[in-house]
Amino acid sequence: MPHPAPDGPAALNQVVLHATIAETGALRYTPAGVPALDLSLAHSSSLLEAGRQRQVSVTVKAVAFAAEAERLAGQEIGSAWRFTGFLGNARNGRSLVLHIQQFDQEPA
């Protein structure tokens, strides 16, 4: 059974990720005719955790809709971006997906 969404700061679900485009699927359309694009993003960084440097490398599943999907479909694999969005369940409900709401080019 779904849990009711909390109100206030606890309801915040926002992700900002600096990553490169690792893979894109074909631009598709939802039954309502909205453009959609499934993609994988690659992120690597060095962060401080518990007083020690930690190397982080992850691949994140992502999806974009509408104008963002059309813009992302034309971008090069390996290009770097700053992605902003929220986390949701994958269509199969077994994993998380970053829903991209905005993306901006990273400076070279």
Side-chain angles (χ1 to χ4, degrees):
M1 178 181 342
H3 299 290
D7 293 328
L12 182 63
N13 178 357
Q14 184 177 20
V15 174
V16 177
L17 182 68
H18 296 253
T20 59
I21 299 173
E23 182 180 326
T24 62
L27 185 65
R28 62 183 173 83
Y29 294 86
T30 68
V34 177
L37 183 70
D38 296 306
L39 58 159
S40 294
L41 306 176
H43 167 85
S44 293
S45 62
S46 178
L47 304 165
L48 192 61
E49 180 181 44
R52 295 183 169 224
Q53 282 300 120
R54 177 177 176 166
Q55 298 297 317
V56 177
S57 291
V58 296
T59 301
V60 177
K61 291 181 181 180
V63 64
F65 294 97
E68 277 67 29
E70 292 175 323
R71 275 185 57 214
L72 275 169
Q75 305 307 321
E76 291 184 32
I77 300 296
S79 58
W81 301 88
R82 179 182 183 268
F83 297 94
T84 304
F86 64 92
L87 295 176
N89 287 328
R91 284 183 267 172
N92 64 14
R94 296 186 184 148
S95 60
L96 292 176
V97 174
L98 173 61
H99 287 249
I100 298 168
Q101 295 176 300
Q102 180 180 343
F103 64 102
D104 301 299
Q105 185 76 55
E106 286 284 288

